[in-house]
Each structure stands twice: as C-alpha cells, then as structure tokens.
Amino acid sequence: MLGTNQPVILHLLDTEPAVEALNAVKMELIDSGFPLLKGVFSSIIVVEAYTDVDIAIMVGGFPRKDEMERKNVMSKNVSIYKTQASALEKHASSNCKVLLVADPANTNALIFKICSLI
C-alpha cells in the first residue's frame, strides 16, 4: 500500500475498555523490531490519535449481534463515524486518505463519507 521502503509511525486508537489490549498490541509492535516502524502511539482519545495523520485505516465498526437488524448496526456506526470523521477533518493532515474496512465495508464507507460532509 505504501511501498516497500516507506517508514511509518502508527497511531493506534481504541476504546477505554480495550486499553490493556491496546497497550499489549503497542508493546508487541515495538518488540517485533520492524525496520520501517519508526514509532507507535496509542490512545483512547480520538483527537490525540488523529493529530497530523496522513493515512487513516478504519478497521472498527459496531459488531452486529444475533438479535440486531442491519439498520440498528448502521445507526450505531453513524454515531461512531460522525465522531471519527469530525476528528479527522479537524486534526489530520489536510491531504489525509481514509481506508475503511469494517463490515459491511461499502455501506460503512458511504456512512463515513456522509458523516464527513455533515
């Protein structure tokens, strides 16, 4: 995606209940000694995590539970993506590119784009 020789600094974001797992992932990345990994920053605060990022890879979305209809999941994702889109617009680099991977990716990407226009 970035080429074979592109150094990266990762900004990891997760929720407060997952802060231990977030810190564990950060330690694993640092301990792995990847030669192009020049830094890892982790936070549960959206503004901190998105400040000056050039690329945002959105891998999270609200997981659909058995009793939920798709429309209920979508409404949960609207609130998540509205916060994310606003923070990226205000704090990421002006040419930030966004890749959204959360299932269903095509619908969530549309929701994210609409939220970024609001």
Side-chain angles (χ1 to χ4, degrees):
M1 186 172 113
L2 302 175
T4 58
N5 294 313
Q6 177 64 53
V8 295
I9 299 171
L10 297 176
H11 289 225
L12 308 176
L13 173 69
D14 213 327
T15 59
E16 190 170 350
V19 74
E20 284 186 43
L22 178 64
N23 289 331
V25 168
K26 179 180 176 178
M27 286 189 293
E28 286 292 326
L29 286 165
I30 292 168
D31 289 347
S32 294
F34 296 112
L36 295 175
L37 183 60
K38 301 304 177 188
V40 181
F41 174 78
S42 63
S43 181
I44 58 171
I45 301 169
V46 176
V47 172
E48 287 181 359
Y50 289 169
T51 299
D52 297 330
V53 297
D54 296 313
I55 299 171
I57 303 174
M58 316 296 287
V59 295
F62 192 84
R64 184 176 178 190
K65 299 181 179 170
D66 289 337
E67 69 279 0
M68 294 180 80
E69 292 184 29
R70 193 171 284 263
K71 66 180 180 180
N72 301 111
V73 175
M74 294 300 111
S75 68
K76 295 272 190 187
N77 283 335
V78 167
S79 64
I80 293 169
Y81 296 145
K82 190 171 184 179
T83 302
Q84 306 287 318
S86 176
L88 282 168
E89 185 177 339
K90 292 177 185 170
H91 303 286
S93 71
S94 61
N95 61 348
C96 180
K97 304 290 185 227
V98 179
L99 172 64
L100 195 136
V101 186
D103 187 39
N106 57 343
T107 304
N108 282 328
L110 178 60
I111 291 169
F112 188 88
K113 180 162 179 75
I114 291 168
C115 287
S116 68
L117 299 173
I118 297 174

